[in-house]
Amino acid sequence: MGGQPAAPASPAVARNLPQDAPQDQVSRAHVEAHIRLLPAKRAADGDEEHRRGLQEAEDLLVARLKEMGHEPVLEPVQFTPIMRRGEGGVREVIPVEQRTPLTSHNIIVEFPGTDPALRHEVLLFGAHYDAVPFSPGADDNASGVAVALELARLLKDRPTKRTIRVVFFALEEVGLVGARVHAMNAAAAARRRPEQNAAGDAPAAQPAPPRIVGMVTLEMLGYYSDKPNSQRSPVPPIEGVFEPPTVGDFLAVATTRAHADFATRFHDAMRASEPQKKLFLATFFPDLPLTPRDILRSDHAPFLVLGMPGVMLTDTSNFRNPHYHLPSDTIETLDLDRLTLAARAVVGAAYSLAEPAE
């Protein structure tokens, strides 16, 4: 993936960074502990042990968030698998009489904005916590969950003008199910009309309904390589627009042309927050319905479909990581130092874009 190499941080973004920036408190030890929190088996289309593991993952995330002082909200996500993965990951149809409904939950932590004129603007950062059978999912996607947990840990007592929402999405690996539910609920909330009083008049001063002004999916952030030709691309070169990188030492910030403005501001805020983190900005992809499939393979896609700015932050998955969806996707294959830099960049960017309150 890619489009533009990293450029110097925008001076406007840099000026907005507070001196006591929360990214300075990001801890490699915390990042590693967050990854190790999740059970190795947590797939919705796996066996009963996987289903128990998926519930355990949910419970462990809720417990950790409560340890941080949060009261997470659980958003129900219902799903009935019709396929399962057999030996070697081969998909097979589940007989009708064996299909069992599954209720999982998106786990939501929100930091309400303090500015009455801006608090309805929501910046959403999400990471899915499920995995696939036969893979412990350290990069996919315990790495993203670890960064989301650092967001929850470090932004708790730092008021911002805009609202920040952190969502741990359920069931991404079986069709972006949790993200679809949350995107539809968010769209409905944004369309909410003011309530009328008994006389049929709307109250004079009702707050604006919440509206997602930017959504970032944290999708596989921990695998890097400095070897030549360690990076492949889902799209070929485009003369004058895109030259695919060939070394897998960066994170891609990817979206479609319609949402290039938010992606660029997020990219610039990340670079200002952690200049050592190498990024690649990719905003040249055509909008729906012409968006390449590989750019829609994570939880930002339902938000794009509903017209909300959605961005994927990623190490590019199987275009770099040889352990993708395999038993070898373990924490030992991750670069925890560069993942920690990613967490610093995301935490700082979220705080900057939401604008620290005075």
Side-chain angles (χ1 to χ4, degrees), residues 158-313:
R158 295 177 181 269
T160 54
K161 296 179 182 180
R162 294 180 178 84
T163 294
I164 296 174
R165 183 182 302 167
V166 182
V167 183
F168 301 86
F169 287 117
L171 310 184
E172 188 265 2
E173 296 288 4
V174 289
L176 317 180
V177 182
R180 293 174 192 269
V181 168
H182 193 78
M184 288 188 292
N185 287 344
R191 294 192 300 267
R192 189 189 69 214
R193 296 184 178 182
E195 296 179 4
Q196 294 182 333
N197 58 27
D201 299 322
Q206 278 218 19
R211 178 172 61 89
I212 293 175
V213 296
M215 184 275 178
V216 177
T217 186
L218 308 169
E219 178 62 75
M220 302 182 63
L221 307 179
Y223 188 87
Y224 302 86
S225 176
D226 295 314
K227 295 180 180 179
N229 301 316
S230 57
Q231 181 69 52
R232 296 180 294 116
S233 172
V235 295
I238 304 173
E239 186 176 356
V241 176
F242 170 58
E243 183 62 35
T246 58
V247 177
D249 59 352
F250 62 92
L251 286 181
V253 181
T255 192
T256 66
R257 294 169 186 154
H259 305 298
D261 177 67
F262 173 69
T264 301
R265 287 188 290 114
F266 175 61
H267 163 273
D268 289 353
M270 285 185 70
R271 291 211 66 238
S273 300
E274 180 43 78
Q276 294 184 70
K277 188 62 190 173
K278 188 171 182 179
L279 303 171
F280 204 89
L281 180 62
T283 59
F284 64 87
F285 298 108
D287 298 312
L288 293 168
L290 302 178
T291 310
R293 177 182 177 277
D294 284 312
I295 310 304
L296 300 173
R297 284 171 47 189
S298 192
D299 288 320
H300 62 298
F303 296 86
L304 289 178
V305 169
L306 294 174
M308 291 176 262
V311 170
M312 177 169 55
L313 181 68

Side-chain angles (χ1 to χ4, degrees), residues 1 230-234 294 297 316-321:
M1 297 180 187
S230 57
Q231 181 69 52
R232 296 180 294 116
S233 172
D294 284 312
R297 284 171 47 189
T316 76
S317 183
N318 55 297
F319 293 99
R320 175 190 308 172
N321 190 339

Side-chain angles (χ1 to χ4, degrees), residues 96-130:
V96 174
E97 64 276 9
Q98 296 180 17
R99 296 175 186 174
T100 306
L102 171 68
T103 298
S104 193
H105 295 88
N106 294 329
I107 306 167
I108 305 168
V109 169
E110 188 161 287
F111 307 95
T114 61
D115 188 327
L118 294 175
R119 66 168 59 115
H120 68 287
E121 297 185 2
V122 178
L123 291 164
L124 191 160
F125 297 84
H128 73 88
Y129 63 88
D130 60 320

